[in-house]
Amino acid sequence: MMELADACIEFLQETLEHYGEALNVYDRMMYEMNEQFWCLYGVDMESVLGKQESGTRAILPLFHKLNAYFYEEQELRYGKFHMHLHKVFAPHIVSYLEKEEATLREELDDALERETWLNENCTEDFSCCAVQDIVGLVKNNQKLVAELRWPDKTFSEHLQSRTQKTTADIFDCYVTKVYDILRVYPRLQRGVITYNSVLPDEVCVMMNSCITVRLHANELCGNATNSNNSEYSYRTEINEQLSQRINTMFEFVCSQLCQCLVHLLYKLGRYDKDSIISHLYTMMGPKLAIVEPLFSHVRQNNVQIKQEIHPNSTSNLLLCWYNSLLTTIAEWLTERENIDMHHFQLVAISTIFKTLFSEFSSQGLTEEQLRNATYRMIHNRIEYEETMNTLNIDTTRNYAYGYSSDSSAD
């Protein structure tokens, strides 16, 4: 059919070239002759298309060739056969897009299965191999629809909307699947993370790939028209959806990293005044050096975040990390709401609190971000406990545990 189409186009162009001036006065007759000529071609075309597998890509070059010809011929553009052409090809295009959507999902699974999450395989924009593959496929899908140049505006908008929705669904599916992989990543499990643990490079690549996908979504999911013929932005919807999923991913990673603080607070819990072993641990002479590994752990991970995470989301992850640490402290204090704090607990918590404030302030978080509601709750509790603990204690006791801090959150 492609060769026959070429022959038909060539014949009509030669006819117009040789007899155009003579037939110029019979333009209506020429138009009717052309329409009848293509109507005869259409009989064979429909016969061949009826034998093709549903949704095959093989028919697309034929449609592109014929559609481009009719667009160039002003007299035939939107004529009887041109509109009939679209009517015949529409079901095939829809079937092709349905197959392409299924193929995209299969390719997504294959790409993730092949992915190694190694930094050296990422591009300058932090795209891993899986992201490069998926973005390339959805771009080709959108390009194909754009090149159709469908004359029926309603159907054209439907195709555009469909490809954008498919793109949004694929991106959302990608982020969801990566999060599932990240949650079971061996080096991020409880019991594995120690004070020497740094956020694994592979985890950074996973998060970066999701951030990159969200940025591609802003580019590839533009405005479309919904069933009510009103403008609808898939960009806004998918951006919000992916942002929520990425934030959930950040929260999970930070909660895992907080296990070091949880372990430290567990040790401090031994000094609870209502605990049987509290006096025993007090007699052993507690030392504030116990908090030093935590500070080293936080600083190392802050450096890793600044160096390895996409610049677009560095501050968001740092803020999530800071909030997770404060929330862990606040929960520990809430559990002891009706218990007077041991002096060593108070000094340790105060030191941790002030050092965290200083550390994250140096990482670029603003005063507004740092002094949030959780911060104020901890600050007020520490002030209260300090008042209660220092009424009859000499101020030199601040150094009784072999540690002093110049950090201040005030």
Side-chain angles (χ1 to χ4, degrees), residues 264-273 275 332 336 345:
L264 174 58
L265 294 176
Y266 170 78
K267 289 184 176 180
L268 292 179
R270 297 168 179 171
Y271 296 89
D272 287 343
K273 289 187 175 181
S275 172
W332 187 85
R336 290 154 180 79
Q345 289 178 321

Side-chain angles (χ1 to χ4, degrees), residues 90-362:
H92 294 278
I93 298 298
V94 171
S95 296
Y96 170 76
L97 290 179
E98 289 174 350
K99 276 195 171 182
E100 194 67 15
E101 289 163 11
T103 301
L104 281 172
R105 286 174 170 77
E106 292 174 2
E107 288 292 337
L108 171 59
D109 291 334
D110 293 341
L112 288 175
E113 190 173 338
R114 295 191 302 267
E115 185 57 59
T116 58
W117 309 113
L118 296 177
N119 260 326
E120 52 262 35
N121 295 332
C122 296
T123 59
E124 292 183 359
D125 68 346
F126 295 88
S127 294
C128 64
C129 295
V131 170
Q132 296 171 49
D133 292 344
I134 296 304
V135 170
L137 289 171
V138 298
K139 280 186 175 180
N140 289 338
N141 196 36
Q142 290 195 0
K143 181 181 178 183
L144 180 145
V145 170
E147 289 176 347
L148 290 176
R149 299 171 67 187
W150 210 271
D152 182 358
K153 183 179 179 181
T154 301
F155 191 71
S156 176
E157 289 173 347
H158 166 72
L159 293 178
Q160 180 190 16
S161 175
R162 180 165 186 160
T163 55
Q164 290 183 1
K165 185 178 186 304
T166 299
T167 300
D169 290 343
I170 290 296
F171 285 167
D172 182 57
C173 186
Y174 176 87
V175 174
T176 300
K177 288 179 178 290
V178 171
Y179 180 45
D180 290 340
I181 295 171
L182 183 144
R183 289 181 63 186
V184 297
Y185 188 71
R187 293 174 58 193
L188 206 59
Q189 300 307 303
R190 297 190 179 189
V192 176
I193 295 178
T194 66
Y195 288 119
N196 295 323
S197 297
V198 177
L199 192 62
D201 289 344
E202 294 84 353
V203 172
C204 293
V205 172
M206 291 180 198
M207 292 192 290
N208 284 338
S209 73
C210 294
I211 296 166
T212 305
V213 161
R214 183 183 63 189
L215 297 176
H216 281 298
N218 289 332
E219 171 193 354
L220 298 175
C221 299
N223 292 330
T225 302
N226 62 15
S227 58
N228 296 322
N229 293 324
S230 58
E231 191 177 77
Y232 181 79
S233 178
Y234 284 110
R235 180 191 296 120
T236 301
E237 180 184 20
I238 191 60
N239 186 62
E240 292 176 355
Q241 199 164 317
L242 293 182
S243 295
Q244 290 175 0
R245 297 200 188 283
I246 291 172
N247 287 338
T248 300
M249 186 181 298
F250 284 177
E251 289 169 2
F252 172 77
V253 170
C254 293
S255 69
Q256 299 302 91
L257 292 177
C258 274
Q259 293 309 303
C260 290
L261 175 58
V262 171
H263 179 67
L264 174 58
L265 294 176
Y266 170 78
K267 289 184 176 180
L268 292 179
R270 297 168 179 171
Y271 296 89
D272 287 343
K273 289 187 175 181
D274 62 350
S275 172
I276 299 176
I277 60 175
S278 174
H279 295 294
L280 175 61
Y281 277 101
T282 301
M283 288 188 294
M284 292 173 62
K287 299 295 182 182
L288 265 180
I290 193 177
V291 302
E292 277 295 340
L294 173 67
F295 300 151
S296 176
H297 172 71
V298 171
R299 292 184 185 112
Q300 288 175 358
N301 279 284
N302 282 352
V303 170
Q304 178 77 343
I305 290 171
K306 295 281 280 189
Q307 291 180 348
E308 300 298 334
I309 296 299
H310 196 298
N312 182 271
S313 295
T314 300
S315 59
N316 290 340
L317 182 54
L318 284 171
L319 180 59
C320 183
W321 176 213
Y322 173 73
N323 287 336
S324 294
L325 290 165
L326 288 194
T327 300
T328 302
I329 296 174
E331 290 174 352
W332 187 85
L333 290 173
T334 301
E335 291 172 0
R336 290 154 180 79
E337 188 174 6
N338 299 319
I339 304 174
D340 291 335
M341 291 179 65
H342 187 283
H343 186 261
F344 176 65
Q345 289 178 321
L346 176 59
V347 175
I349 289 295
S350 179
T351 302
I352 294 170
F353 178 62
K354 293 176 181 179
T355 304
L356 290 179
F357 182 94
S358 177
E359 171 62 27
F360 282 91
S361 178
S362 69

